[in-house]
Amino acid sequence: MAMSMNYDTLRVRLDDDILFLQMHRPQAANAIDDTLVREIGAALHGAEGAAKVVVLEGLPEVFCNGADFNEIGARLERGAPPQDPGPLYDLWHRLATGPFVSVAHVRGRANAGGIGFVAACDVVLCDSKATFSLSELLFGVMPACVLPFLARRIGPARANMMTLMTQPIGAAQALDWGLVDGCEENSDNLLRKQLLRLRRLGADGVARYKRYAASLDDTLRHARPLALQANLEVFSDPANLAKIARYARTGKFPWEAD
């Protein structure tokens, strides 16, 4: 069971049939590393059959800041190959199509791969200070694995706009675009209200509906090989890796002088 494991990057709580997963890497702004991906996957697997709702949360100031640049820099120094994007894509696909209602509760900043977690979930709630951004092109890379999920939620044109502009959008704009389904200053209260409603649903009905919904739209499965290929291409480019490693080491963006 999910509750019986010890996690390094998560805080896990099962409340009746609602599984709460809090990403908890405060020292890394909740950046995504291999351990986080593996542990969220294990928690979902461990709660299979017990949870009909999964609530994914971050920290009060940051939901998830995207890829862990320090880990990417360390891999570069070791001469290790690029991180396999497959497990993260498959995790987002599980959140999108699994036999449960997935709820993203966003407070603070959601950036880059953090948008993948947001866009993959069935329901997205946020506080009024939340921001949403795709910063990848600033470093020469792109949100290859995020885009199938984001375009599915807000449409290709707006996903394209977020990718090219790299600029954060606020909670109000995210709500208007459909990236967010509900926003209140006190998002904890908003989450409680929505969970009261979701508790009324039967687990079998939720699972049956999610299977049917996934069968109507197979774009995520078809997009997978293209997304993984594009991800590996940009994260194998030495120039891009040098920019990322420099930022991890100095905090300076590619256009800033040494």
Side-chain angles (χ1 to χ4, degrees):
M1 284 294 296
M3 295 297 294
S4 63
M5 291 183 59
N6 292 320
Y7 297 94
D8 294 323
T9 65
L10 287 179
R11 290 181 174 176
V12 179
R13 175 169 62 92
L14 186 63
D15 181 3
D16 291 331
D17 50 8
I18 298 179
L19 178 67
F20 291 87
L21 302 177
Q22 183 191 27
M23 295 180 281
H24 194 261
R25 299 192 70 215
Q27 76 287 356
N30 270 5
I32 303 167
D33 66 353
D34 289 337
T35 303
L36 180 68
V37 174
R38 184 173 62 252
E39 290 188 345
I40 295 178
L44 292 178
H45 179 75
E48 194 168 314
K52 69 180 179 187
V53 179
V54 174
V55 179
L56 183 65
E57 301 181 289
L59 300 168
E61 299 302 322
V62 57
F63 175 76
C64 175
N65 202 39
D68 189 333
F69 278 11
N70 287 318
E71 182 178 63
I72 293 173
R75 294 176 74 94
L76 180 63
E77 288 181 3
R78 298 196 306 270
Q83 184 180 27
D84 179 7
L88 180 57
Y89 191 98
D90 293 341
L91 176 58
W92 291 340
H93 192 263
R94 178 68 171 167
L95 289 170
T97 64
F100 45 76
V101 181
S102 53
V103 180
H105 178 208
V106 182
R107 295 167 296 169
R109 183 172 68 257
N111 178 58
I115 300 296
F117 281 112
V118 172
C121 286
D122 297 311
V123 179
V124 181
L125 309 174
C126 76
D127 67 17
S128 56
K129 296 180 181 178
T131 61
F132 304 83
S133 57
L134 295 174
S135 62
E136 287 90 339
L137 276 180
L138 296 175
F139 299 91
V141 297
M142 59 179 166
C145 291
V146 173
L147 277 174
F149 297 89
L150 184 61
R152 175 175 174 260
R153 176 167 265 275
I154 67 173
R158 285 170 172 165
N160 184 57
M161 176 72 168
M162 287 187 69
T163 301
L164 292 174
M165 296 308 299
T166 70
Q167 191 171 6
I169 64 171
Q173 188 171 356
L175 183 64
D176 181 60
W177 282 10
L179 180 57
V180 168
D181 301 302
C183 176
E184 289 186 7
E185 184 175 356
N186 183 352
S187 60
D188 288 324
N189 186 55
L190 175 61
L191 176 63
R192 282 192 294 269
K193 289 188 294 185
Q194 299 302 327
L195 291 181
L196 284 173
R197 188 75 183 183
L198 290 173
R199 285 184 188 275
R200 298 177 180 177
L201 303 181
D204 290 343
V206 168
R208 188 175 295 115
Y209 163 71
K210 290 292 294 286
R211 284 196 302 271
Y212 171 66
S215 72
L216 292 177
D217 182 359
D218 210 19
T219 56
L220 295 178
R221 185 173 66 84
H222 283 298
R224 185 181 188 275
L226 288 174
L228 301 194
Q229 180 183 355
N231 179 281
L232 288 171
E233 179 182 348
V234 296
F235 280 100
S236 298
D237 186 325
N240 292 342
L241 294 176
K243 295 172 189 175
I244 290 171
R246 178 178 180 264
Y247 181 82
R249 187 176 65 254
T250 68
K252 292 183 178 179
F253 288 99
W255 60 87
E256 295 180 312
D258 287 324

